[in-house]
Amino acid sequence: MTKLCYLSDANSSHTYKWIDYFSKHYDEVHLISMRETTYKYSSNVKLYIVKPPFKSKLSYFFIANKIKNLIKEIKPDLLHSHYATSYGLYGCLSHQHPFIISVWGSDVYEFPKSNKLKASLLKYILSSADVICSTSHDMAKEIKKYYDKKNIEITPFGVDINNFNIKTKILSNDYITIGVCKHLRKVYGINFLIEAYSLLIKEVNKDIRLLIVGDGEERKSLEDLTHKLNIQDNVEFVGSIENRDVPLYMNKMDIVCLPSLSESFGVSAVEAEACGRPVVCSDVGGLKEVVLDNETGFIFKSKDIVDLKNKLKLLINNESKMKSFSSNARRFVLDNYSWEDNCNSMNDIYLKIMQK
């Protein structure tokens, strides 16, 4: 009987998806998390919650020994940490092998940039893994700055192509909706979209609306910006939605725009394309890999409001191109980012490393 043990945030939608898949394929799955969840995992998933004693990353070290002892008791055939600089640290300190680390993004793009000590810690953690998994080639390049081995596997975070599909064709209304579905944080650059939209509606003689789905610390400043630009009547802030409702809102959009300042992979872009939505995105991180420029959407220069406006205008003024991008986008995801196929690839890594 093969035992898998995961070190990951039990309340993350990414963790839900990985655990749900592998709990169907392995008899015994263990999940160790620092955060509680109300999510109901399968009956063969044993969940352990180990909370840090106080709100500081220094507190991670206070529970390291407890997690190490838990892993020792479980005696897994494979240990997999998700997010290098927290759960990866616990996996590293457990000295358990075979050991895989999946890097998520900010753990390599942001964490090591603040000081040399953090950069050294990341190098130490990554060096303990038998395999490092990256969702994109761009992030793999970033990982190589702190990891000199060759065993980096590209493991895209695909989508459920049955759930994310074309429920409503684009251009089904007498108006065009540009939309985004993201947490409202500075790193996702929603303010650039709002400013570009305010320029766009002055140049295009069509009814164009902006739909912003998600919530976060930037919501008030973004709402204030729409009032400042006097476009508040054309912009709808939906707020937070359940993950299961994301395809529904994607299908309300004719164009999905992702003006991110940093993006490790680009799950939102893949979700949009699976729903047959053309994507206009910034030229950062993994977005350049999951959006094919002038084929499934357009890529614009990050933070360049005029370039973003021009790309949106080019698409809106060419409805045949929009429809072509729509069908190309769906096909591209079917060929490259089916969640089932991506999980099978991860399982191949598991089998290979356990055989070693």
Side-chain angles (χ1 to χ4, degrees), residues 53-71:
F54 49 89
K55 290 184 178 180
S56 167
K57 291 193 175 180
L58 285 174
S59 68
Y60 289 178
F61 291 95
F62 286 83
I63 58 174
N65 202 49
K66 186 173 182 179
I67 291 176
K68 180 180 178 180
N69 289 334
L70 258 179
I71 296 168

Side-chain angles (χ1 to χ4, degrees), residues 260-321:
S260 302
L261 310 184
S262 176
E263 195 81 59
S264 59
F265 173 56
V267 175
S268 291
V270 176
E271 291 174 342
E273 289 174 318
C275 294
R277 268 50 202 171
V279 176
V280 176
C281 70
S282 55
D283 59 348
V284 300
L287 286 174
K288 303 187 298 293
E289 297 171 35
V290 298
V291 175
L292 303 181
D293 195 28
N294 203 28
E295 190 171 336
T296 68
F298 284 128
I299 298 175
F300 70 92
K301 185 175 174 58
S302 179
K303 300 181 183 180
D304 190 330
I305 297 166
V306 174
D307 191 25
L308 171 53
K309 180 262 297 181
N310 288 338
K311 293 292 168 60
L312 289 169
K313 183 178 178 180
L314 184 61
L315 196 51
I316 287 167
N317 284 337
N318 192 333
E319 292 189 358
S320 64
K321 187 178 282 289

Side-chain angles (χ1 to χ4, degrees), residues 112-344:
K113 304 291 173 64
S114 55
N115 60 60
K116 290 182 179 179
L117 181 62
K118 288 183 177 180
S120 297
L121 178 60
L122 178 61
K123 287 180 182 178
Y124 173 70
I125 293 168
L126 294 178
S127 68
S128 68
D130 299 295
V131 173
I132 303 292
C133 293
S134 168
T135 52
S136 68
H137 291 279
D138 185 86
M139 189 159 67
K141 288 180 184 177
E142 196 68 23
I143 291 168
K144 287 176 182 177
K145 296 177 182 178
Y146 311 98
Y147 183 75
D148 56 8
K149 297 177 186 177
K150 293 182 179 179
N151 49 337
I152 299 176
E153 298 280 355
I154 306 301
T155 53
F157 194 78
V159 299
D160 181 342
I161 55 176
N162 296 315
N163 187 28
F164 286 88
N165 58 30
I166 302 173
K167 296 173 173 59
T168 305
K169 291 183 179 180
I170 62 168
L171 302 173
S172 295
N173 299 306
D174 54 3
Y175 55 87
I176 293 174
T177 299
I178 300 169
V180 60
C181 185
K182 296 288 283 185
H183 292 298
L184 304 188
R185 297 171 52 201
K186 278 189 178 181
V187 70
Y188 295 128
I190 311 297
N191 56 303
F192 296 101
L193 170 57
I194 291 172
E195 292 191 47
Y197 170 77
S198 72
L199 298 176
L200 178 70
I201 57 176
K202 296 172 184 174
E203 298 181 15
V204 178
N205 189 27
K206 292 184 180 182
D207 184 358
I208 305 169
R209 304 175 189 184
L210 185 57
L211 181 64
I212 299 174
V213 181
D215 213 341
E217 63 268 20
E218 287 296 297
R219 178 165 178 171
K220 186 179 185 306
S221 65
L222 294 173
E223 290 177 331
D224 289 345
L225 179 59
T226 65
H227 284 273
K228 178 182 176 183
L229 297 170
N230 197 30
I231 57 172
Q232 68 275 10
D233 293 339
N234 301 84
V235 182
E236 180 183 356
F237 286 85
V238 174
S240 181
I241 62 170
E242 296 291 335
N243 287 318
R244 64 176 178 269
D245 293 329
V246 173
L248 174 68
Y249 279 92
M250 287 287 187
N251 274 270
K252 291 177 183 286
M253 304 171 189
D254 297 294
I255 300 169
V256 171
C257 185
L258 300 168
S260 302
L261 310 184
S262 176
E263 195 81 59
S264 59
F265 173 56
V267 175
S268 291
V270 176
E271 291 174 342
E273 289 174 318
C275 294
R277 268 50 202 171
V279 176
V280 176
C281 70
S282 55
D283 59 348
V284 300
L287 286 174
K288 303 187 298 293
E289 297 171 35
V290 298
V291 175
L292 303 181
D293 195 28
N294 203 28
E295 190 171 336
T296 68
F298 284 128
I299 298 175
F300 70 92
K301 185 175 174 58
S302 179
K303 300 181 183 180
D304 190 330
I305 297 166
V306 174
D307 191 25
L308 171 53
K309 180 262 297 181
N310 288 338
K311 293 292 168 60
L312 289 169
K313 183 178 178 180
L314 184 61
L315 196 51
I316 287 167
N317 284 337
N318 192 333
E319 292 189 358
S320 64
K321 187 178 282 289
M322 284 182 67
K323 291 176 181 177
S324 173
F325 282 5
S326 173
S327 58
N328 292 346
R330 174 69 181 174
R331 193 179 312 114
F332 177 59
V333 172
L334 292 177
D335 291 343
N336 297 279
Y337 295 108
S338 161
W339 173 242
E340 190 78 16
D341 292 345
N342 296 156
C343 286
N344 287 335

